[in-house]
């Protein structure tokens, strides 16, 4: 099997990694994700950081390129991505819960809000 890394990973594969990633209830602000009907984006449900009520959530539709860019941005900001080498040499799904959380928060909020 060829190591492709996130930057050459296909869009379908990136979206599938997010959709199928097992967070195991580790993140109280993460409420799930699912592929859009046409499969071109993934819908991520997170707490709404701007809501007065902590139980309010917000849906974010992310493309594979937005997820890849969020990884690049999180790395550039110096966020603690412990599985960077695995994500860059294998694919997004080789990251850990913490890394996926950082990438999704960066994609949805532009920065880390929770954690």
């Amino acid at each position: 099997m060829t190591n492709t890394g996130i930057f050459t990973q296909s869009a379908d594969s990136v979206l599938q990694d997010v959709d199928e990633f097992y967070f195991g209830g580790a993140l109280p602000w993460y409420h799930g994700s699912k592929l859009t009907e046409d499969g071109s984006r993934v819908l991520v449900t997170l707490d709404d950081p701007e809501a007065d009520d902590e139980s309010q959530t917000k849906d974010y539709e992310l493309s594979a390129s937005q997820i890849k860019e969020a990884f690049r941005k999180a790395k550039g900001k110096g966020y603690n991505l412990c599985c960077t080498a695995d994500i860059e040499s294998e694919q997004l799904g080789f990251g850990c819960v913490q890394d996926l959380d950082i990438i999704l928060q960066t994609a949805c909020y532009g920065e880390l809000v929770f954690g």
Side-chain angles (χ1 to χ4, degrees):
M1 188 173 144
T2 311
N3 292 344
T4 59
I6 186 173
F7 297 115
T8 55
Q9 187 178 356
S10 74
D12 288 347
S13 179
V14 168
L15 296 173
Q16 191 170 7
D17 278 355
V18 173
D19 181 48
E20 294 178 354
F21 198 83
Y22 178 68
F23 287 90
L27 311 172
W29 50 88
Y30 173 84
H31 299 279
S33 59
K34 65 179 181 181
L35 291 175
T36 56
E37 209 152 302
D38 66 0
S40 68
R41 296 172 147 341
V42 66
L43 192 66
V44 178
T45 305
L46 299 173
D47 282 358
D48 184 348
E50 295 171 9
D52 293 333
D53 179 359
E54 288 183 12
S55 68
Q56 285 193 314
T57 62
K58 189 170 179 182
D59 292 334
Y60 298 87
E61 251 188 52
L62 301 173
S63 67
S65 60
Q66 286 172 299
I67 294 165
K68 290 178 182 187
E69 185 53 38
F71 173 71
R72 188 178 281 121
K73 186 176 177 183
K75 232 179 98 176
K77 286 185 174 218
Y79 291 152
N80 185 18
L81 295 162
C82 57
C83 301
T84 297
D86 293 329
I87 293 171
E88 287 179 336
S89 68
E90 298 288 340
Q91 65 185 51
L92 181 62
F94 281 70
C96 65
V97 169
Q98 175 184 312
D99 289 2
L100 263 288
D101 175 38
I102 291 169
I103 293 164
L104 292 178
Q105 283 194 55
T106 303
C108 296
Y109 306 137
E111 63 183 351
L112 285 183
V113 175
F114 301 106

